[in-house]
Amino acid sequence: MTKVLAVLYPDPVDGFPPKYVRDDIPKITHYPDGSTVPTPEGIDFKPGELLGSVSGGLGLKKYLESKGVEFVVTSDKEGPDSVFEKELPTADVVISQPFWPAYLTADLIDKAKNLKLAITAGIGSDHVDLNAANEHNITVAEVTYSNSVSVAEAEVMQLLALVRNFIPAHDIVKAGGWNIADAVSRAYDLEGMTVGVIGAGRIGRAVLERLKPFGVKLVYNQRHQLPDEVENELGLTYFPDVHEMVKVVDAVVLAAPLHAQTYHLFNDEVLATMKRGAYIVNNSRGEEVDRDAIVRALNSGQIGGYSGDVWYPQPAPKDHPWRTMPNEAMTPHMSGTTLSAQARYAAGAREILEDFLEDKPIRPEYLIAQGGSLAGTGAKSYTVKKGEETPGSGEAEK
Ligand code: NAD
């Protein structure tokens, strides 16, 4: 019997289902590049429902049970006694979400003797040791594009929140105050600033497009320069060297995946080269910056603010220094798991499972690794060089 093991975040503290604010969500059929949103044979949920938590089960229960598949859903993922680690050795498929990642380290992959497919319900498969997955011939797939715009929208909001000093101003009101001088002592306009984006893929492009109307100077760093027409349309300046770019920006948005080249990209040395008071927005992965270097740069005033929804490890421990550092606009990992995004990535997980169970090829754009090497989107966005692996998943164990 095929077994699918899904690791999802816990239900809302006030119970499941939550009381929904809206009755429906807009129907989106295509992504900005013209590709279609997921096209499973069917779905057993109403778009807009909470699907990403344990009771939501990504809306897969009815379908998988109808196929005679054993479906185990848990949020218990830490340590050898967790449901995740106990069920893993007999699982054929693992589904995990970056928001509540089940870290598939090389050790765990070694123990997962039946594992054939690791699905990321969302985008970003750095919680899977891709070298180990390749060594064991495990397919890694994610629901490409499902939440790229969700994240881009949030990053623009976070950038504005930092530059306009929104959160401290809001806190003044909450505390019964009206001190405008305090509220504005760190508030600026975004207009005219130089904003850099690292990684002009699906999220990065969407951020650049959304920032254009703000009248900012847009610069970007990316593995491959974008076509002339895109650069001209958005007024972009390309920096082949990220270190040269960060010297000139007033704000930078990280939108590249976590892999060896982006691990701790922002450390003390790089932060010291930035303009004093520059802002950093990072919804990519927490480990693309050096955790303590960010705290030091905020404390010294070298950077003006830091906002992100990605931490390391996840969930972040209660004493994580980013919870208490100054001039932050942090949230739990949530920008890519809006109810709107969940409808797409749950349908995408279903589409991938349908293909897997029926022995059909998985959409190439969903593939990160297959047949022992990077594939599809993974081949364009990640690197897996022996000895240069992203240390991410291994460190989580510590
Ligand atoms: P994507 O694959 O479309 O784009 C990533 C881009 O980064 C690619 O164009 C790639 O060429 C570029 N890149 C890779 N390495 C680089 C490097 N060293 N320097 C510069 N550019 C580099 O992926 P996407 O959909 O835009 O997502 C990007 C990342 O965002 C994901 O891998 C994930 O880590 C993160 N993400 C976060 C959330 C969230 O909820 N916070 C949700 C989705 C994705």
Side-chain angles (χ1 to χ4, degrees):
M1 190 185 201
T2 302
K3 176 155 119 185
V4 174
L5 170 59
V7 180
L8 304 177
Y9 45 77
D11 285 342
V13 287
D14 291 334
F16 181 94
K19 194 170 181 320
Y20 295 108
V21 181
R22 303 178 54 81
D23 298 325
D24 58 12
I25 59 171
K27 194 170 164 52
I28 289 167
T29 55
H30 289 80
Y31 295 122
D33 69 353
S35 60
T36 58
V37 299
T39 49
E41 281 160 21
I43 51 168
D44 298 311
F45 59 84
K46 182 169 178 270
E49 287 175 348
L50 178 62
L51 304 163
S53 74
V54 170
S55 295
L58 295 173
L60 293 170
K61 192 170 188 286
K62 194 169 158 202
Y63 163 70
L64 288 176
E65 287 179 359
S66 77
K67 294 282 168 191
V69 172
E70 184 187 351
F71 185 39
V72 179
V73 188
T74 184
S75 61
D76 180 20
K77 69 183 182 81
E78 301 301 339
D81 294 328
S82 64
V83 175
F84 166 56
E85 289 202 25
K86 282 191 180 150
E87 298 282 347
L88 183 63
T90 51
D92 297 273
V93 179
V94 167
I95 306 177
S96 176
Q97 295 181 107
F99 324 103
W100 189 262
Y103 294 102
L104 274 173
T105 60
D107 281 354
L108 287 180
I109 286 179
D110 239 3
K111 290 179 192 148
K113 299 290 180 212
N114 287 356
L115 190 61
K116 297 164 196 71
L117 173 64
I119 301 177
T120 302
I123 298 171
S125 299
D126 50 277
H127 58 281
V128 181
D129 185 317
L130 294 177
N131 276 310
N134 283 336
E135 272 160 28
H136 289 75
N137 206 12
I138 294 165
T139 298
V140 181
E142 57 185 47
V143 191
T144 301
Y145 236 139
S146 58
N147 56 15
S148 303
V149 170
S150 325
V151 177
E153 284 185 5
E155 288 187 320
V156 173
M157 170 188 77
Q158 290 164 250
L159 177 59
L160 286 165
L162 290 178
V163 175
R164 305 300 303 238
N165 205 34
F166 181 81
I167 291 176
H170 178 70
D171 289 346
I172 289 172
V173 172
K174 284 295 233 193
W178 193 259
N179 196 333
I180 294 168
D182 287 304
V184 300
S185 61
R186 297 182 64 88
Y188 298 89
D189 292 353
L190 185 62
E191 186 180 27
M193 287 191 175
T194 300
V195 183
V197 172
I198 300 174
R202 293 170 182 86
I203 294 174
R205 278 278 291 274
V207 169
L208 291 164
E209 285 162 9
R210 279 155 184 74
L211 284 177
K212 189 188 171 210
F214 283 91
V216 292
K217 292 193 197 80
L218 290 173
V219 299
Y220 76 104
N221 162 258
Q222 141 90 352
R223 282 178 153 181
H224 310 290
Q225 189 164 359
L226 294 171
D228 283 353
E229 60 269 27
V230 178
E231 287 195 344
N232 293 338
E233 190 193 321
L234 296 175
L236 306 179
T237 304
Y238 178 59
F239 277 75
D241 182 347
V242 68
H243 296 110
E244 291 305 313
M245 187 182 88
V246 299
K247 287 180 194 165
V248 305
V249 297
D250 297 293
V252 65
V253 178
L254 278 69
L258 174 66
H259 57 119
Q261 291 168 0
T262 53
Y263 178 77
H264 282 196
L265 185 59
F266 285 80
N267 55 22
D268 285 310
E269 291 72 42
V270 172
L271 291 167
T273 66
M274 297 181 79
K275 285 170 78 173
R276 193 180 72 83
Y279 306 94
I280 300 178
V281 174
N282 176 16
N283 284 8
S284 276
R285 285 297 177 257
E287 289 166 290
E288 294 182 23
V289 302
D290 175 338
R291 182 192 75 172
D292 297 334
I294 292 294
V295 179
R296 283 189 286 273
L298 284 170
N299 278 319
S300 71
Q302 173 55 19
I303 58 172
Y306 182 90
S307 180
D309 73 344
V310 284
W311 305 62
Y312 189 77
Q314 290 190 176
K318 288 222 158 44
D319 61 353
H320 195 295
W322 287 1
R323 291 185 190 271
T324 48
M325 64 191 180
N327 304 319
E328 51 75 27
M330 300 298 297
T331 66
H333 194 165
M334 62 170 284
S335 61
T337 182
T338 54
L339 296 176
S340 322
Q342 289 176 40
R344 290 185 292 271
Y345 70 66
R350 164 100 179 238
E351 181 183 336
I352 293 168
L353 282 168
E354 285 175 2
D355 289 338
F356 170 76
L357 293 173
E358 288 161 34
D359 233 358
K360 290 189 194 151
I362 293 169
R363 274 205 219 191
E365 64 260 38
Y366 291 167
L367 292 174
I368 299 300
Q370 193 172 51
S373 60
L374 293 179
T377 295
K380 294 190 192 120
S381 295
Y382 288 84
T383 43
V384 280
K385 239 190 196 167
K386 240 344 200 187
E388 272 192 23
E389 298 86 347
T390 308
S393 41
E395 278 191 4
E397 293 300 290
K398 296 179 214 155

